[in-house]
Amino acid sequence: MVDVQGTVADGFGPVRDAFAANFTRHGERGAAVVLYREGEKAVDLWGGTKTPDGADDFGDDEGTGGREGPDGGEESDGGEGSGGGEGPDGREESQGGHEPWTQDTAQVVRSVTKGVAAAVPLLLHQRGQLDLDGRVSTYWPEFKAAGKERVLVRHLLAHRTGVPVLDTPLTPGQAIDGISGALAVAAQRPVWEPGTAHGYHAQTYSWLLGELVRRVTGRTIGRWIAEEIARPLGLDLWLGLPEEQRGRVGRIAAVEPPAAPASAGPRLRPKRSVAEAYRDPESLTRRAFAAITPVPDENDPAYLAAELPASGGVATAEALARFYAALIGPLPSARTVRSGGRLFAPATLTMARTEESAGPDQVLVVGTRFGLGYMLHGPACPLLGPGSFGHPGRGGSLAFADPEARIGFAYVTNGMRRGVTADPRAQALVRAVRTSLAALEA
């Protein structure tokens, strides 16, 4: 039994039930989920251990494209159970001696980082410092090489640049040195004409966005986030983890789901085209995730200290939920932020979630939808509703906002599963949120 800690507001009991069930039904190891509604915290739950029982070697499942498709479909995900009951107070002993996950445990959140990083260019535009319809080369002249002179800033944010791969992948050391990544993407020739198609820039998004922000502001993107977002909002969120915070961070590992009972029905499998793309070393899918080769150790302190806005953010679930709540605002307890605790002005919020890219994804193969930097609700990335925007992290984590429901949501986990955009644990929680809101509004 896992000792689920924390609180839920009246009406959000289904979220607690789904969170507990994830440990018994979906093989959860350590995780947290937080939800803000109308600027106030309504769900704050955590449980499990900071170190999952799994392999630290991610192999083909991370970095070079896993065996499963981006829908994460490796098992049937039928009805929810109440699952997981309460455990004894002695959590360390009851969980095999592992250090327990606590309320302030932070976690590497992989591509959930992209949603935090996307706020930076949108806020720069909001402040009149960046033209989203301007050419990237206006701010970064070297970027126009190899046929990229017409790439717009909005193309970069909507995964339309055509540079999801590198002809010569970077080593883990080069990926985090702050120099090699920007040089590599500036020299890279696009694999499609920029602006004519879209494909997930899984790794190269780090150097595309990071260098653009540095050229515009003179600050690294991690420093900008710290000074303009995290500190004013009081967020335990870092792009470039300080050494003094290392002890709070859970260790990630690849985990396998428990065997589904026969009553659960057949396991879901990715479409043949998706599976083939992940197996083919020459496909854009494999090459995009292999832009850093060999696979970096994401538990390495040097990796955690680096500023990789595509994948290297470290945060608590509380920080991510609060961040998304502040995007749509207002956040009553954040009066130091401009506009009374609201990060995005109404026009900026509209731009963030207006569809820029839709249809077959040249990298993920399935159909995806992107606004300016954010994934939008759809079959490949189900969120709360049509107006939701946010970003999943490969392996499980998810964070998003829904302005119509006035929700900021975040789920973080240290147990990395196969799949990019629709982890069954995250989806169980989203369905529970939907159920709770429907009952409250009935």
Side-chain angles (χ1 to χ4, degrees):
M1 292 288 187
V2 171
D3 185 9
V4 172
Q5 300 285 303
T7 60
V8 297
D10 289 345
F12 285 94
V15 181
R16 173 184 279 275
D17 292 342
F19 184 70
N22 277 347
F23 287 90
T24 55
R25 190 163 186 270
H26 294 304
E28 188 71 274
R29 301 300 195 268
V33 60
V34 174
L35 180 144
Y36 275 77
R37 185 187 188 208
E38 298 181 348
E40 301 293 342
K41 195 186 303 184
V43 173
D44 186 5
L45 299 171
W46 64 93
T49 63
K50 286 175 65 176
T51 304
D53 295 320
D56 289 332
D57 179 8
F58 296 105
D60 274 348
D61 295 333
E62 179 66 26
T64 60
R67 289 169 288 175
E68 302 295 338
D71 59 355
E74 73 248 36
E75 65 173 301
S76 174
D77 192 37
E80 299 302 323
S82 58
E86 298 294 324
D89 291 336
R91 285 173 289 162
E92 292 198 28
E93 180 179 356
S94 68
Q95 295 173 17
H98 291 289
E99 185 178 355
W101 189 295
T102 64
Q103 188 175 21
D104 68 350
T105 295
Q107 191 59 60
V108 178
V109 294
R110 290 186 168 175
S111 286
V112 170
T113 313
K114 289 183 174 77
V116 177
V120 179
L122 290 173
L123 288 171
L124 291 174
H125 174 77
Q126 182 172 292
R127 298 176 187 182
Q129 296 175 257
L130 179 65
D131 181 1
L132 298 178
D133 290 311
R135 294 184 179 184
V136 173
S137 60
T138 299
Y139 307 97
W140 178 5
E142 299 88 339
F143 187 75
K144 66 183 177 182
K148 301 190 299 299
E149 62 276 357
R150 296 182 182 277
V151 175
L152 306 181
V153 173
R154 69 172 57 249
H155 292 158
L156 190 156
L157 292 175
H159 297 266
R160 303 181 71 83
T161 304
V163 189
V165 303
L166 295 177
D167 290 339
T168 302
L170 301 181
T171 67
Q174 291 172 323
I176 64 175
D177 67 15
I179 298 172
S180 300
L183 292 174
V185 294
Q188 179 67 41
R189 183 168 295 279
V191 294
W192 65 76
E193 183 180 349
T196 64
H198 80 283
Y200 188 48
H201 288 51
Q203 302 280 21
T204 57
Y205 191 86
S206 278
W207 311 301
L208 291 166
L209 184 56
E211 185 65 11
L212 176 65
V213 170
R214 189 183 73 82
R215 297 292 180 117
V216 172
T217 68
R219 289 183 274 179
T220 67
I221 190 169
R223 179 182 168 193
W224 203 97
I225 289 170
E227 295 176 350
E228 303 289 342
I229 297 176
R231 289 175 193 165
L233 286 173
L235 305 182
D236 289 335
L237 181 158
W238 305 273
L239 185 57
L241 183 73
E243 184 176 359
E244 64 270 17
Q245 300 293 342
R246 289 181 190 169
R248 298 178 56 184
V249 181
R251 187 176 184 84
I252 64 173
V255 297
E256 293 290 338
S263 60
R267 285 191 170 196
L268 301 176
R269 294 295 179 186
K271 295 178 181 178
R272 181 178 298 275
S273 59
V274 175
E276 290 173 349
Y278 274 76
R279 285 194 297 265
D280 180 3
E282 299 302 318
S283 71
L284 291 182
T285 308
R286 286 288 291 262
R287 293 176 63 203
F289 285 102
I292 305 174
T293 299
V295 179
D297 177 2
E298 294 170 271
N299 294 309
D300 182 358
Y303 183 90
L304 297 175
E307 297 185 18
L308 293 174
S311 60
V314 177
T316 62
E318 151 70 23
L320 290 167
R322 186 173 172 83
F323 163 77
Y324 274 100
L327 289 186
I328 62 176
L331 203 59
S333 58
R335 295 302 181 188
T336 59
V337 177
R338 304 179 188 198
S339 302
R342 183 195 303 272
L343 286 175
F344 281 173
T348 307
L349 177 59
T350 297
M351 288 189 296
R353 60 186 185 136
T354 296
E355 184 179 277
E356 293 278 331
S357 299
D361 189 298
Q362 301 298 306
V363 171
L364 297 181
V365 182
V366 298
T368 56
R369 300 179 66 228
F370 288 94
L372 287 176
Y374 294 96
M375 275 196 172
L376 306 179
H377 176 74
C381 184
L383 302 175
L384 189 63
S388 301
F389 68 101
H391 218 288
R394 191 176 194 199
S397 297
L398 174 68
F400 65 85
D402 189 290
E404 285 69 36
R406 305 176 299 283
I407 290 294
F409 170 94
Y411 158 73
V412 301
T413 178
N414 59 16
M416 300 293 102
R417 297 271 292 271
R418 299 187 187 107
V420 177
T421 64
D423 184 90
R425 298 162 297 177
Q427 289 304 305
L429 294 168
V430 172
R431 286 194 298 273
V433 171
R434 196 177 294 121
T435 297
S436 298
L437 291 175
L440 287 167
E441 295 168 3

